Amino acid sequence: MSMPPQKSPQSPVTCEQRVIISNEHGEKLVGLLHQTSSKKLVILCHGFRATKASPFQDDSILIDLVDAFTKEGISAFRFDFSGNGESEGEFQYGSYRKEAADLRSVVLYFSKQKYDIIALVGHSKGGNAVLLYASRYNDVPIIVNISGRFALERGIDGRLGKNFMQRINKDGYIDVKNKKGELEYRVSKASLEDRLSTDTLLSSRAISKDCRVLTIHGARDEIVPAEDARQFAAHIPNHELRIMAEANHRYTGHEAELTSLVLDFVRPHLHLHSASRLRPKL
């Protein structure tokens, strides 16, 4: 399902089209397709508590990347995972497997529309989604993981507070509130267990050597340590690592360098990639 395209004022060769895709649960995923004259497509995935375009952590990263790809003549699609932004569904704290499944629904949709999906790009938790996808389906040749977390058991107490396991075992959930004391989201025991049972080591090793993976990470990342990027590099078969010495988790002030690294990794494959070599099984 899609809405009529609208011409983008930035580029005469690009139009922006709202696209709605149903996931395997029948929930509607809402996204924006930035269409160029090319059927080559990059799909971009947002991070935790973010959206395809929001005031949260990574909206500028996704939008900057969309601009870079479309100027290169590559079409781009950014969407909200279920339970986030405009998409249907209930927000869940874990949901790593479900987000990979959402991404699968998106890939299959565009494959049926005869797009040549050349890359999946994800920031933060979106980086985990694209890597988990690649571990399950060998049908997209390029994966870009920007600041994904390898050690999923870490970083939880920063959001949920100390003794989170005891509290969630006692009450069955933890309510996360903002500085004003307002409820932001509820973490269920099942969603916490989903995160803790997601095996990044196993999934990293399961990615085919035919799939080229780039991990980019900021050395000054205040949310996910750069050591996590080195762990991905150590276990993914066909991997390149780029540590940006001055960048934080949001790449504040380093957006141009980030987009340049991503484009440089994807660009050589624009003419080399054969759509028949890696094609989603419909």
Side-chain angles (χ1 to χ4, degrees), residues 1-258:
M1 179 179 178
S2 60
M3 303 296 286
Q6 292 182 331
K7 285 285 185 180
S8 167
Q10 289 86 2
S11 172
V13 299
T14 304
C15 63
E16 187 177 292
Q17 184 177 355
R18 181 179 166 91
V19 177
I20 299 174
I21 300 166
S22 290
N23 67 9
E24 61 183 14
H25 302 282
E27 297 162 337
K28 293 177 180 177
L29 307 175
V30 179
L32 291 171
L33 173 63
H34 303 263
Q35 178 67 62
T36 69
S37 58
S38 172
K39 296 290 277 189
K40 292 186 182 294
L41 180 70
V42 173
I43 298 171
L44 300 110
C45 299
H46 66 77
F48 180 77
R49 295 288 290 169
T51 71
K52 64 184 180 301
S54 78
F56 292 102
Q57 65 186 33
D58 63 352
D59 82 300
S60 64
I61 290 175
L62 296 195
I63 293 168
D64 289 345
L65 286 168
V66 164
D67 289 343
F69 281 122
T70 53
K71 285 175 182 174
E72 198 74 18
I74 309 166
S75 297
F77 182 69
R78 53 190 170 103
F79 72 101
D80 295 326
F81 284 114
S82 53
N84 292 267
E86 295 183 278
S87 291
E88 293 180 345
E90 184 180 351
F91 173 81
Q92 296 289 338
Y93 177 73
S95 69
Y96 288 85
R97 297 173 186 86
K98 188 180 182 188
E99 290 188 354
D102 284 351
L103 184 53
R104 180 64 173 168
S105 298
V106 171
V107 169
L108 291 176
Y109 173 87
F110 283 106
S111 296
K112 289 174 183 175
Q113 302 294 318
K114 306 301 182 187
Y115 281 87
D116 180 10
I117 301 163
I118 60 170
L120 306 177
V121 181
H123 174 246
S124 196
K125 194 182 178 199
N128 288 89
V130 299
L131 290 169
L132 189 57
Y133 181 96
S135 75
R136 296 183 172 190
Y137 311 102
N138 182 31
D139 56 20
V140 178
I142 302 168
I143 301 293
V144 180
N145 160 39
I146 303 170
S147 307
R149 187 185 290 277
F150 186 88
L152 294 179
E153 72 278 7
R154 291 205 301 253
I156 299 173
D157 56 359
R159 294 190 192 277
L160 306 188
K162 302 295 183 183
N163 304 317
F164 61 87
M165 283 306 300
Q166 293 93 318
R167 291 164 56 213
I168 208 161
N169 282 329
K170 177 177 178 287
D171 300 325
Y173 65 90
I174 293 174
D175 284 340
V176 177
K177 299 179 180 179
N178 60 22
K179 293 178 180 178
K180 296 180 180 179
E182 300 165 337
L183 177 66
E184 287 197 339
Y185 56 93
R186 172 167 287 186
V187 178
S188 67
K189 187 175 181 180
S191 67
L192 178 60
E193 288 174 346
D194 178 277
R195 171 170 172 154
L196 292 173
S197 64
T198 301
D199 192 333
T200 50
L201 174 61
L202 188 66
S203 60
S204 293
R205 290 175 173 172
I207 297 173
S208 170
K209 65 180 184 300
D210 293 329
C211 178
R212 295 194 64 241
V213 179
L214 170 66
T215 291
I216 303 172
H217 212 104
R220 297 191 175 185
D221 192 317
E222 71 285 11
I223 295 174
V224 182
E227 174 58 29
D228 285 45
R230 297 185 180 94
Q231 288 294 313
F232 284 121
H235 296 290
I236 294 173
N238 188 357
H239 188 276
E240 289 187 29
L241 175 63
R242 295 288 182 270
I243 302 289
M244 292 173 55
E246 301 299 322
N248 62 13
H249 193 68
R250 304 181 187 188
Y251 295 84
T252 309
H254 299 276
E255 296 89 351
E257 183 183 354
L258 174 65

Side-chain angles (χ1 to χ4, degrees), residues 256-275:
E257 183 183 354
L258 174 65
T259 56
S260 178
L261 284 173
V262 176
L263 268 183
D264 287 347
F265 190 76
V266 174
R267 191 181 285 119
H269 302 273
L270 291 178
H271 305 294
L272 295 176
H273 173 51
S274 168

